[in-house]
Amino acid sequence: MFIKVLSRISIILIFILFPLFSIAKEFELKLCYPDNDAPPWQIGNGDHVFNPAGLSLDIISKAASNLNIKVIYSRVPTNRVFNILKKNEVDGAFIFSFLEERLEYGYFPMNKKDLDHERRVATMIYSFYKRKDSNITWDGKKLSNSDKAVGVNRGYAVIDVLKKLQIPYEESKGTEVLLKKLDSSRISSCIGQSITVDYFIKKLKLKNIVKINPDVISKDYFLIFSHKFINEHKNIAEKLWTEIGKVRDIEIQKNISTYEN
């Protein structure tokens, strides 16, 4: 009799708990990212998710997989990313550095009142680039001998740095476009993420373009969640941010060679 009662209880518990396990395994997260090619962090132009997709997606996908989260990726132009995040058409967007005005659109991982460096997706270094025959110099505070606007990717946070330094700038879509403009003397210099710019210099065989030392700035980049998602699923967001911090360096070390050719 006792065994029969236990069996019935077990069956009832299975029926009660099984849907809960199923929901946890089937949790879907909608994330978007810009549609421009920015190796090694995101690969290819357009709304297609390429394979391999980029280090940022490798990191986020691994962290999500560890938490039984299914990620649905989409790509849109950079200037639309924050609009659809604000409208809650997606749960989150990546990868972006912190700007005060971006808090209007979503949440960054925090440690009390400070940005949580440990839960970043990436850290990127920005540098100026010029043609070899140019006499432009950068001493860490002032860009000298520049007779044209500095080229920069549209919507990049480093534009704020140029504004503070009172350096005229011209926005373009994508690092490849910037370098082609620089190579053809349509701009006299550009600023970009060193790892991405160096990749395109090698890919496009632009032997006439060189980096200007020292580096301009180093910035952390994050996955941002919408206000609605944080209000409804803050626990999931916190867990994913933390897991990203755990897997980031391992995934970069494991996959970086995929994007070096």
Side-chain angles (χ1 to χ4, degrees):
M1 181 68 180
F2 179 70
I3 294 175
K4 287 183 178 180
V5 171
L6 280 179
S7 298
R8 288 176 181 175
I9 292 173
S10 298
I11 292 171
I12 292 170
L13 286 173
I14 288 172
F15 277 105
I16 292 173
L17 295 175
F18 183 76
L20 297 178
F21 292 135
S22 298
I23 291 171
K25 289 183 179 180
E26 294 175 356
F27 188 88
E28 290 187 351
L29 183 67
K30 296 179 181 179
L31 301 180
C32 74
Y33 65 106
D35 63 354
N36 61 291
D37 192 21
W41 304 106
Q42 59 198 46
I43 302 299
N45 291 304
D47 59 7
H48 178 66
V49 178
F50 286 72
N51 183 20
L55 282 177
S56 60
L57 286 88
D58 293 341
I59 294 165
I60 292 170
S61 294
K62 177 60 176 176
S65 176
N66 288 352
L67 298 173
N68 294 319
I69 296 172
K70 178 182 178 181
V71 182
I72 300 173
Y73 293 107
S74 61
R75 303 184 74 180
V76 297
T78 304
N79 56 0
R80 283 192 55 212
V81 171
F82 289 105
N83 287 332
I84 66 174
L85 185 66
K86 186 176 182 179
K87 293 177 181 178
N88 300 305
E89 293 177 13
V90 292
D91 301 316
F94 65 93
I95 51 176
F96 294 98
S97 61
F98 178 82
L99 288 175
E100 195 74 32
E101 56 263 34
R102 287 177 176 171
L103 293 175
E104 174 188 350
Y105 305 101
Y107 284 91
F108 288 79
M110 306 295 289
N111 182 0
K112 296 181 180 178
K113 294 183 179 180
D114 298 318
L115 270 175
D116 195 339
H117 169 78
E118 295 301 323
R119 297 198 285 177
R120 70 195 184 280
V121 176
T123 298
M124 299 185 200
I125 297 171
Y126 282 86
S127 301
F128 285 117
Y129 289 79
K130 66 175 183 178
R131 293 185 305 279
K132 283 183 179 179
D133 59 1
S134 170
N135 62 350
I136 292 176
T137 60
W138 163 250
D139 63 4
K141 294 181 180 179
K142 184 179 179 181
L143 189 69
S144 302
N145 304 317
S146 177
D147 59 352
K148 295 179 182 178
V150 173
V152 62
N153 276 326
R154 185 178 299 127
Y156 273 30
V158 76
I159 289 173
D160 272 10
V161 176
L162 298 178
K163 288 179 179 178
K164 289 176 183 177
L165 294 170
Q166 297 184 324
I167 297 175
Y169 63 90
E170 174 185 315
E171 295 183 59
S172 295
K173 183 178 180 179
T175 303
E176 186 171 353
V177 174
L178 279 179
L179 289 173
K180 287 180 178 178
K181 282 185 176 182
L182 180 57
D183 190 50
S184 61
S185 300
R186 290 160 62 192
I187 54 177
S188 57
S189 63
C190 70
I191 186 171
Q193 297 161 1
S194 299
I195 191 170
T196 301
V197 178
D198 293 345
Y199 169 89
F200 276 111
I201 288 175
K202 182 178 179 181
K203 177 185 177 182
L204 300 173
K205 299 179 181 179
L206 301 175
K207 298 180 180 180
N208 192 40
I209 295 177
V210 294
K211 183 185 296 184
I212 308 174
N213 290 317
D215 297 325
V216 179
I217 195 171
S218 174
K219 281 183 171 290
D220 289 337
Y221 282 73
F222 302 90
L223 166 63
I224 310 169
F225 284 108
S226 70
H227 291 288
K228 180 182 178 182
F229 189 83
I230 289 293
N231 290 337
E232 296 178 356
H233 305 290
K234 188 174 189 296
N235 186 47
I236 292 175
E238 294 289 349
K239 285 182 178 180
L240 184 55
W241 275 328
T242 298
E243 194 65 23
I244 284 171
K246 291 179 181 178
V247 306
R248 179 191 59 250
D249 294 344
I250 297 170
E251 288 300 301
I252 290 175
Q253 186 175 8
K254 183 175 74 174
N255 296 325
I256 187 63
S257 61
T258 304
Y259 305 101
E260 288 180 340
N261 296 324

